Amino acid sequence: MGENMNIYDFTQEELESFLIENGYKKFNALQIIDWMYDKKEYDFNKMTNLSKKLISFLNENMIIKTPEVIKVEKSDLANKYLLRLEDNNKIECVLMNHDYGYSLCVSSQVGCNMGCSFCESGRLKKVRDLKLEELVGQVICVSKYENIRIDSIVVMGIGEPFDNFNNIKRFISVVINPKMINIGQRHLTISTCGLVPKIYEFADMETGVNLAISLHAPNNEIRDKIMKINHAYKIEKVMEALDYYISKTNRRVTIEYIMLEGINDSDECAKELANLVKGKLMYVNLIPYNETTHFELKRSNDFKIKSFYDILKSYNVNVTIRKEMGGNLSAACGQLRANVEEGE
Ligand code: SF4
């Protein structure tokens, strides 16, 4: 069978078929899943309701493992975890403690090829996609590390989830499965920089999973400059795809908009953005940019952000300003990993 497979790399259906193929019963899958997800047991020998034969089959053919937490940065609103994967690659995820519970922001790839100009992750080119076991592993290892139940998940960390679409689909099935991670689909959000064909495919899945789009500019001229993806898929095409998603799902789309001084924060930009989204089932999340040492870009000042917000409000657009995560945390996604790899 070659190298042992990680049992966290299976959806329920995949594990059932695998066990049946190897002479075991379908219900054995749910017994094992209960140990993995409910009891977070990492030792097959301690899964006491399994037969001895099944336990030795698992020991011989599978491993049960999640990534390892190697560094944690804490602030009042968020904890950032640096995790080491089996092949020594590193990823990160961020735990936020909101009034409504714990929300975990997970990564979808090691590095990212989308090359957004404001993003630390884009500096670290994509090495590979994350496997299902690593997507799931982020959730299991952080909830085990902190001994908490995670209430919602956003796939908004390092990487472009729709560039790892097949594993994201499998991850969705594990997250919303009541026997597995058991987080309702309305508490799961996938964020894309705008891979238009995948937005259509995602819409056609007709799940209740939320969609967020990193728009960050109200027109092609600005978006071309700060997001390479806009060369492939123009704003009009992105907006059409979002309209399609809304028509299929009747779910509200989140428009993410990082406020960059002198680039996308003028009153004119606010009006253009308002005209793009007004009257649609969309809401705008304004994100004060976290300045990093690697880029020239600056965060818009509070006055500009407030006036941008007021203009959107005057068009009856639903808008919020995202709370900042505290100055002592490494700023943009990917920065913690970059710092460790550069030995800072
Ligand atoms: S913002 Fe997202 S899509 Fe863009 S480079 Fe960073 S991780 Fe990739």
Side-chain angles (χ1 to χ4, degrees):
M1 194 176 283
E3 210 173 287
N4 284 1
M5 291 174 285
N6 190 333
I7 199 159
Y8 277 111
D9 209 41
F10 288 74
T11 64
Q12 180 180 337
E13 294 69 30
E14 289 164 358
L15 188 58
E16 285 168 352
S17 318
F18 177 74
L19 290 171
I20 291 168
E21 273 163 32
N22 285 282
Y24 295 93
K25 297 274 184 285
K26 189 174 168 185
F27 77 86
N28 291 138
L30 277 185
Q31 290 178 312
I32 300 169
I33 283 170
D34 183 54
W35 286 104
M36 291 163 63
Y37 287 90
D38 194 40
K39 306 192 175 70
K40 298 186 181 62
E41 179 53 67
Y42 288 179
D43 182 351
F44 294 127
N45 298 316
K46 293 191 179 146
M47 300 186 177
T48 48
N49 58 350
L50 307 184
S51 67
K52 288 219 169 63
K53 184 166 164 256
L54 178 53
I55 291 176
S56 60
F57 172 78
L58 293 173
N59 279 323
E60 276 160 31
N61 297 289
M62 318 281 271
I63 52 166
I64 177 164
K65 222 172 168 187
T66 59
E68 182 197 351
V69 176
I70 53 171
K71 187 174 173 191
V72 185
E73 281 186 19
K74 297 204 172 198
S75 81
D76 293 345
L77 285 169
N79 294 349
K80 198 174 226 179
Y81 303 85
L82 184 72
L83 310 177
R84 187 185 2 241
L85 307 177
E86 199 74 72
D87 61 0
N88 229 7
N89 274 307
K90 295 171 193 85
I91 53 166
E92 62 184 44
C93 53
V94 176
L95 180 71
M96 287 154 285
N97 189 357
H98 297 296
D99 315 334
Y100 49 85
Y102 288 105
S103 173
L104 188 71
C105 173
V106 301
S107 293
S108 56
Q109 297 177 316
V110 179
C112 183
N113 275 347
M114 298 297 137
C116 305
S117 64
F118 45 81
C119 175
E120 281 284 324
S121 310
R123 264 188 351 111
L124 306 157
K125 290 275 163 263
K126 176 174 135 182
V127 177
R128 64 173 176 83
D129 288 332
L130 291 190
K131 302 180 212 168
L132 177 64
E133 70 192 57
E134 295 160 337
L135 294 164
V136 169
Q138 295 173 70
V139 183
I140 303 293
C141 86
V142 171
S143 68
K144 191 168 171 164
Y145 186 89
E146 297 291 349
N147 197 20
I148 52 164
R149 182 184 147 76
I150 287 164
D151 304 287
S152 61
I153 295 177
V154 290
V155 187
M156 210 179 267
I158 302 168
E160 163 52 53
F162 283 172
D163 189 36
N164 185 12
F165 197 57
N166 195 37
N167 285 339
I168 290 294
K169 280 196 276 192
R170 295 166 70 223
F171 180 56
I172 291 171
S173 91
V174 171
V175 170
I176 67 180
N177 186 332
K179 303 277 194 303
M180 298 177 103
I181 293 180
N182 188 22
I183 288 179
Q185 43 197 4
R186 285 161 191 259
H187 299 282
L188 171 62
T189 301
I190 313 291
S191 172
T192 177
C193 67
L195 297 192
V196 165
K198 298 291 187 235
I199 297 175
Y200 284 98
E201 263 187 71
F202 183 65
D204 286 338
M205 286 165 64
E206 294 188 49
T207 66
V209 174
N210 304 304
L211 179 65
I213 170 102
S214 296
L215 199 67
H216 307 316
N219 60 47
N220 288 319
E221 199 191 333
I222 300 174
R223 201 164 191 264
D224 275 342
K225 283 190 197 134
I226 58 176
M227 295 181 75
K228 274 206 308 218
I229 190 70
N230 205 62
H231 299 278
Y233 305 110
K234 297 291 176 205
I235 285 196
E236 302 72 42
K237 294 288 171 210
V238 173
M239 297 311 285
E240 268 171 41
L242 297 182
D243 289 342
Y244 179 78
Y245 168 85
I246 293 167
S247 74
K248 279 294 233 187
T249 63
N250 205 29
R251 303 286 299 148
R252 186 173 74 166
V253 171
T254 305
I255 306 287
E256 306 283 356
Y257 197 99
I258 289 185
M259 300 289 299
L260 299 165
E261 184 184 84
I263 292 180
N264 64 358
D265 64 350
S266 67
D267 291 358
E268 205 39 56
C269 285
K271 288 176 199 158
E272 264 185 279
L273 179 63
N275 281 319
L276 273 184
V277 304
K278 71 175 185 212
K280 296 188 172 176
L281 196 54
M282 292 181 179
Y283 111 99
V284 176
N285 191 17
L286 298 177
I287 307 166
Y289 178 60
N290 273 317
E291 290 174 16
T292 83
T293 47
H294 298 108
F295 303 117
E296 297 295 297
L297 301 165
K298 294 257 170 308
R299 169 194 187 286
S300 306
N301 66 39
D302 289 343
F303 175 77
K304 264 276 170 229
I305 296 175
K306 180 66 174 44
S307 111
F308 202 93
Y309 171 92
D310 289 339
I311 293 171
L312 289 170
K313 275 273 174 207
S314 73
Y315 281 75
N316 287 325
V317 169
N318 279 315
V319 53
T320 50
I321 300 172
R322 186 190 283 178
K323 270 196 255 175
E324 290 176 76
M325 289 308 174
N328 62 343
L329 266 185
S330 290
C333 62
Q335 190 164 324
L336 178 62
R337 193 178 74 124
N339 285 345
V340 167
E341 292 194 343
E342 285 160 14
E344 284 173 27

